[in-house]
Amino acid sequence: MAGYEGKEFKWIGTRPVRPDGVDKVTGRATYGADMNLPGQLTGRILRSPHAHAKILSIDTSKAAKLKGVKAVITGKDFPDMHNGVLPGDEGVNFHYLSCNIMAWNKVLYDGHAVAAVAATSAAIAEEALALIDVKYEVLPHVIDVDESLKPGAPLLHDDIFTTGVTPKPDKPSNVVQRVQMQLGDPDAAFKDADIVIERTFKSKAVHQGYIEPHAVVAEWSEDGQCRIWCSSQGHFMVRTLTARLLKMEVAQIRVMPAEIGGGFGGKTIIFIEPTAVLLARKAERPVRIVMSRDEVFRGTGPAPGTSIDVKIGAKKDGTLVAATGEFRYQAGAFPGSPVGAACMAAFGPYALTHVRAVGYEAVTNRPLCYSYRAPGAPLASFAVESIIDEIAQKLNLDPLELRIKNGSKEGTQMVYGPKLKAVGNLECLKAIQNHPINKIPLGPNQGRGLAAGFWFNLGGQSSAVVNIAEDGTATIMTGSPDIGGSRASMALMAAEVLGIDYTKVRPIVGDTAAVGFCEITHGSRVTFATGMAIIQAAEDVVLQCRQRVAKMWEVDVDAVKWEDGHALPAGANAGDQKPLSLAQIAAKAARTGGPLVGSAAINAGGAGPAFGVHICDVEVDPETGHVTVLRYVAAQDAGKAIHPSYVEGQIQGGVAQGVGWALNEEYIYGADGRLQNSGFLDYRIPVASDLPMIDAIILEVPNPGHPFGVRGVGEVPIVPPLGAIANAVARATGVRMVDLPLTPPKILAAIDAKK
Amino acid sequence: MSGFQYEAPATVDAAVGLLAGARGNARVLAGGTDLLVQLRTGAAQPDLVVDIKRIPELRQISGNAASGFVIGAAVSGSEIGEHKELLKAWPGVVEGMELIGSTQIQGRATPGGNLCNASPAGDCTPGLVAAGAICVIAGPSGRREVPVEQVPVSPGKTSLAKGEFVVAFKLPARAKNSGDAYLRMIPRTEMDIAIVGAVVNLTLDASGTCTAARVSLGAVAPTVLLVDAAAKALIGTRVDDAALANLAAAASAAAKPIDDKRGTIEYRTKVAGVLARRAAVIARDRARSNA
Amino acid sequence: MSKFHISTTVNGEAVEYLCDPRQTLLDVLRDELNLTGSKEGCSSGDCGACSVTLDGRLVCSCLVLGVEVQGRAVETIESMASDEKLHPLQQKFLEAAALQCGFCTPGFLVAAKALLEKNPNPTESEARYWLAGNLCRCTGYDKIIRAVLETAADMRGSK
């Protein structure tokens, strides 16, 4: 921790009410669909009913003539994007992105956008959609990843040539890439094992399930400038991608961040913003588009289904000797599955000398797969943790001791390259080991399951400004949307550095014209990286205060120190001066150099990887296969919990999502390639009565890369639950389930088969 | 959503007149928890919607256990759940109604709507069928009464003629030492459509022998099944383990489910027997304590 | 399609509006009356983000038509705070960090208020089942349930 080691914090680690809280509990807070502009039109999108088809023609003439319709667009209204990556955009393929936002000459999934209208009412817009005549030539489709990897599978694109294989293919296929990460020689090392367990695991696509559907209001003015209101996980990303897709200058677009009703990675990319802008331009009126829940399931970015082989070998005493995994991930209609991240994270909790992770990605006729909280890792962890648990069972070893014995720690070499610095894996394992849950006896049909998980976290670009008002109160501004209470954390960090009361710090999320660039909220980076920018901006203010006081006292700046929000003489040589508060210094700002403004713009390095260990008890009804989660404990290393309540909240929320992923959530497709459960009735996320209280234990092994020791916390919690639940079910039933989700019919069939 | 006329008549006769005289499709609106979803998806495209909630008779519960309750077709689930005498005499009927959706859905959903939506998996209908409830139907020719199981004919379709709608449900007089229970299988703990539902309604004599029984199954056939063989497995027995095993077998044998996104044939068939057995135990225990 | 002229009471005030029969109560609250505190999450009655009370009954406003509330009384999240003070549930949600993104929060508060008015002493299980129609994806429900139970205890005066 740079400069704050051993310091007693006044604000960091406390649990005050969040600054944006009152607006949220009164319904005043403005989310994406709450914005209304005068003259606003309603936009609606026409979506493909076919999983795979050529678009032969689109006739919009009848729709355009309908009274009340002000604009109609199709893919041809978008600028023609050629293949390839535009420089500076770090791997975004704008041809694919544009195609996903509105189909070019093919539809690639049920729900793919093909046209859009803007009209004076929702009813008229819907009537207009029904008048658009699209002629399709239906093509064979492929939904399953293993099917898509086979030669001869229906081809989605003619420009995908598998990377990472030799020789380089000369024919296109659906196989996007092969990746490999390896340490040592696992194939040889397996020979030293006393026991080797190998299994194949499968899972289905799941959705992030945020309760707020995507929403945007776009306004166009005659000088070519554009304002967008939307909720997102990164309004700078919205600005950049919209500008590139519409061939506009970035600064022509101003994105105003609405409050966001959940994202979990699914709102780190755009789906409807350029469509709204084009409609607004054509209609010469603002246009609002709000997705229906059906559209959210069919037309946004769920997490991929997978097919995974894992093989682990161990000695009789539980020492792991070798591990390999092959991870086959769907990509949806366009490349972009997180299989690389899966390979990086899968074996993270274990110190292995001989390990290999291989990943394959195949496109399928489904919506574009996108990020969902530790993308790639939960399924990989499910597979690995299931095998580890089975090894413990077969060797008659305590599963927790087995993980301690082989646990990653400081100095462990990760398969993707770096060696770990100080981390909290063993601390989490010990916390679970010592937890009272272990003393609770289990009844019939009950089982206890354990799993560990790892995520590497990210740093990246953030900007922040700290403005001190004439009375010493502070307004702090960043460009990171508040997805989980981060305003409170920013205010706590600023209050700590400035040395003023938390309630005197007002944090706001600035729009793209008001504050410097901020990367999307991914990699659990907001408290870490945007927080670091806030800290630096506040330190900038502190330095300026010291400089101004130094002038007033006619001493060197080194003779002035800052403590508890006051400038003080650093030693006797500074003279006998009374301390000056921030308020007093601010009152004199005009006379001492001008407004007191601190700023920082960084590309943060030093993100700390983090570990979590979960344990849970389940009961399985042996006659129906129904699973009840009785108890759940999750321990996680947060580095330093700035606001512990919100760290606990991240852990509990990730656990709930993982439980749903393990037990009930799945995309269900018919043989026709159409999604059958595009609503919350049959896409079953956990409800309040499905879960017990979730005991969240925060460990703090400070991350040396952050001034306060912060590690990202948002993603780790979703990694262990799939394994923990599956292992608990295995212990309760005696059957190892390898096919997620573990629905009652599947569990009952497995129990009955075992009899 | 395509456009429709909306009317909210204050009498049964006015409602019948509107429904009988409708030029195109007409739909009755009670709680709206099925109809509004269908309007939104376009599954229902009526020309006329007749809101029956302003008709006082449809919103009342009258009678008592001994003489037989009469439940208005548009009484909400919440109101049914709050009716203490009804809950005491017919807990299985009330359970079925109470398990529909969430608290919010309960504030609006009605037994008439649940019946006439004719979903094979409707939660309220099996309990009414097992109770031997009679449906009171108003129409252009006046009123008629039919056993409730004759109203749904296939998924989404009822036997009601144009101009007819359900006004009330009549429950029979409740014999002493009677009990009923509804159980359903859902993957979560709430909010799901039933994968399988089972109701057992039985009466015991003073010695504890079952003298009457009705067993119904939901979600395992196009409409609710009234399973005579399952009832016969209980009548004349003390509802002991042997009788319960026969009951379960009869229930599974009667089930004619399909494979769909919620459950498989194999699963539904098996669990029909499991739930029938468990419901019978609860009904029996309720009957024993229900002098 | 001609519009209906509806007179009703919303949050204790007499209001009038014109609406198409196709508009739900949720549409009317948000688009005609500018009461955007009730949220649209699914439009099928599965998520509870649109929860309001209608004549004192907790309902999903997405499953009520705007024309159905003629002469009725609707209460939304906007009426929960009063006299410049938050309702105890609102205050507790803030103190207990029972919200993260906050989108489901208005629905939960309306539903929880209805629960405590009916049952001032709910068990954890009763609270969870009452609130099963309110989906939350951020919190895992733990802090929400704790906040509701603690507020119930506070309001009973047993603290």
Side-chain angles (χ1 to χ4, degrees), chain B residues 1-7 29-34 36-37 39-40 49 51 53-54 59 76 78-79 81-82 102-108 188-191, chain C residues 1 4 21-22 24 27 40 43-46 48 51 54 57-60 62-65 67-72 107 111 118 129-135:
Chain B
M1 214 191 281
S2 50
F4 52 85
Q5 296 277 68
Y6 168 86
E7 300 284 351
L29 171 64
T33 54
D34 285 318
L36 262 71
V37 176
L39 290 174
R40 200 168 199 102
V49 169
D51 182 350
K53 294 191 294 295
R54 307 245 174 201
R59 304 268 307 118
S76 74
S78 302
E79 291 162 322
E82 287 162 1
S102 60
T103 311
Q104 287 88 341
I105 299 294
Q106 286 290 302
R108 300 291 280 175
R188 292 181 291 184
T189 55
E190 269 285 341
M191 297 306 287
Chain C
M1 186 86 333
F4 278 68
R22 287 173 286 191
T24 63
D27 294 334
E40 180 170 2
S43 291
S44 56
D46 294 306
S51 297
L54 175 55
R57 273 294 168 207
L58 181 65
V59 300
C60 282
C62 73
L63 292 184
V64 178
L65 294 174
V67 293
E68 287 183 82
V69 303
Q70 169 70 33
R72 304 253 181 247
K118 180 160 186 195
Y129 275 91
W130 180 276
L131 295 171
N134 289 82
L135 298 184

Side-chain angles (χ1 to χ4, degrees), chain A residues 228-241:
Chain A
I228 295 174
W229 282 263
C230 66
S231 63
S232 76
Q233 287 181 255
H235 38 298
F236 286 89
M237 170 276 300
V238 174
R239 183 178 74 161
T240 302
L241 296 182

Side-chain angles (χ1 to χ4, degrees), chain A residues 52-264:
Chain A
H52 195 194
K54 282 198 194 125
I55 299 175
L56 298 174
S57 64
I58 306 181
D59 181 356
T60 59
S61 55
K62 287 205 197 79
K65 287 201 198 86
L66 184 66
K67 182 157 179 268
V69 172
K70 303 299 181 189
V72 185
I73 61 171
T74 69
K76 303 298 181 212
D77 288 284
F78 283 72
D80 192 346
M81 293 281 124
H82 296 290
N83 290 357
V85 175
L86 293 184
D89 287 303
E90 308 198 31
V92 176
N93 181 315
F94 286 93
H95 173 66
Y96 291 148
L97 182 62
S98 181
C99 282
N100 191 46
I101 287 173
M102 195 150 294
W104 190 243
N105 47 20
K106 249 182 135 181
V107 290
L108 288 155
Y109 56 95
D110 168 36
H112 195 167
V114 296
V117 306
T120 51
S121 75
I124 294 174
E126 279 170 31
E127 276 178 61
L129 290 189
L131 293 173
I132 299 177
D133 186 13
V134 186
K135 298 233 181 324
Y136 295 103
E137 180 191 319
V138 178
L139 301 169
H141 61 271
V142 59
I143 294 289
D144 177 77
V145 62
D146 286 333
E147 289 301 313
S148 188
L149 286 168
K150 291 184 183 151
L155 192 68
L156 271 71
H157 300 278
D158 54 18
D159 59 355
I160 293 180
F161 296 85
T162 316
T163 60
V165 296
T166 41
K168 221 169 133 50
D170 55 7
K171 283 212 193 67
S173 72
N174 292 334
V175 186
V176 177
Q177 59 171 323
R178 179 188 189 280
V179 296
Q180 175 162 328
M181 298 170 201
Q182 181 161 341
L183 296 173
D185 185 352
D187 299 310
F190 276 120
K191 300 189 181 75
D192 297 331
D194 294 323
I195 177 175
V196 175
I197 298 191
E198 182 174 7
R199 283 192 186 272
T200 299
F201 300 84
K202 289 194 198 280
S203 76
K204 297 270 168 41
V206 297
H207 196 272
Q208 299 84 348
Y210 33 83
I211 310 299
E212 180 208 21
H214 301 250
V216 58
V217 177
E219 181 184 57
W220 179 272
S221 69
E222 288 78 2
D223 59 358
Q225 300 205 52
C226 163
R227 279 194 300 175
I228 295 174
W229 282 263
C230 66
S231 63
S232 76
Q233 287 181 255
H235 38 298
F236 286 89
M237 170 276 300
V238 174
R239 183 178 74 161
T240 302
L241 296 182
T242 305
R244 297 266 195 258
L245 280 172
L246 299 181
K247 293 205 160 147
M248 295 168 67
E249 288 177 358
V250 171
Q252 273 184 298
I253 300 181
R254 184 172 180 191
V255 184
M256 326 291 291
E259 296 303 318
I260 175 172
F264 315 111

Side-chain angles (χ1 to χ4, degrees), chain A residues 445-458:
Chain A
N445 303 310
Q446 295 182 354
R448 183 163 291 153
L450 181 70
F454 164 82
W455 188 248
F456 40 82
N457 292 328
L458 294 179

Side-chain angles (χ1 to χ4, degrees), chain A residues 510-561:
Chain A
D511 67 69
T512 55
V515 69
F517 184 87
C518 270
E519 216 167 288
I520 51 179
T521 66
H522 63 159
S524 306
R525 64 177 296 274
V526 174
T527 309
F528 171 75
T530 304
M532 203 187 293
I534 282 285
I535 292 167
Q536 291 186 18
E539 286 171 344
D540 184 13
V541 166
V542 166
L543 176 60
Q544 290 179 51
C545 287
R546 288 172 54 221
Q547 285 164 341
R548 294 174 189 222
V549 170
K551 264 208 200 125
M552 286 187 234
W553 293 346
E554 293 171 341
V555 295
D556 237 17
V557 66
D558 293 331
V560 181
K561 65 179 177 181

Side-chain angles (χ1 to χ4, degrees), chain B residues 9 22 27 44-45 78 81 83-84 99 112 118 127 130 150 158 187 189 191 206 217 232 248 253 255 273 287 291:
Chain B
R27 288 291 297 263
Q45 298 189 23
S78 302
H83 199 284
K84 290 191 170 35
L99 282 172
Q150 289 181 17
T158 69
T189 55
M191 297 306 287
L217 297 176
K232 286 195 171 75

Side-chain angles (χ1 to χ4, degrees), chain A residues 2 63 75 156 161 164 168 174 177 292 418 431 499 509 564 583 592 618 630 636:
Chain A
L156 271 71
F161 296 85
K168 221 169 133 50
N174 292 334
Q177 59 171 323
S292 67
V509 180
D564 284 332
T592 58
V618 305
L630 300 168
Q636 184 169 324

Side-chain angles (χ1 to χ4, degrees), chain A residues 408-596:
Chain A
S408 295
K409 50 186 190 267
E410 186 167 356
T412 299
Q413 168 87 54
M414 293 280 101
V415 71
Y416 60 93
K419 285 206 171 103
L420 292 174
K421 300 200 174 79
V423 287
N425 186 29
L426 297 179
E427 285 79 354
C428 289
L429 286 164
K430 292 257 154 63
I432 294 296
Q433 194 172 46
N434 295 328
H435 194 279
I437 189 178
N438 294 291
K439 298 206 170 60
I440 298 176
L442 292 169
N445 303 310
Q446 295 182 354
R448 183 163 291 153
L450 181 70
F454 164 82
W455 188 248
F456 40 82
N457 292 328
L458 294 179
Q461 301 183 77
S462 284
S463 308
V465 181
V466 172
N467 288 303
I468 307 297
E470 311 89 292
D471 62 354
T473 55
T475 309
I476 66 175
M477 178 163 63
T478 73
S480 286
D482 188 343
I483 59 176
S486 52
R487 280 187 185 90
S489 302
M490 300 301 135
L492 285 168
M493 287 186 273
E496 190 75 51
V497 173
L498 294 171
I500 60 175
D501 200 281
Y502 165 84
T503 58
K504 306 257 184 270
V505 180
R506 309 309 307 169
I508 66 165
V509 180
D511 67 69
T512 55
V515 69
F517 184 87
C518 270
E519 216 167 288
I520 51 179
T521 66
H522 63 159
S524 306
R525 64 177 296 274
V526 174
T527 309
F528 171 75
T530 304
M532 203 187 293
I534 282 285
I535 292 167
Q536 291 186 18
E539 286 171 344
D540 184 13
V541 166
V542 166
L543 176 60
Q544 290 179 51
C545 287
R546 288 172 54 221
Q547 285 164 341
R548 294 174 189 222
V549 170
K551 264 208 200 125
M552 286 187 234
W553 293 346
E554 293 171 341
V555 295
D556 237 17
V557 66
D558 293 331
V560 181
K561 65 179 177 181
W562 190 264
E563 252 173 43
D564 284 332
H566 289 74
L568 298 159
N573 58 335
D576 186 20
Q577 300 282 9
K578 280 213 179 71
L580 282 175
S581 70
L582 179 61
Q584 289 169 310
I585 299 165
K588 294 191 167 62
R591 279 180 271 142
T592 58
L596 266 175

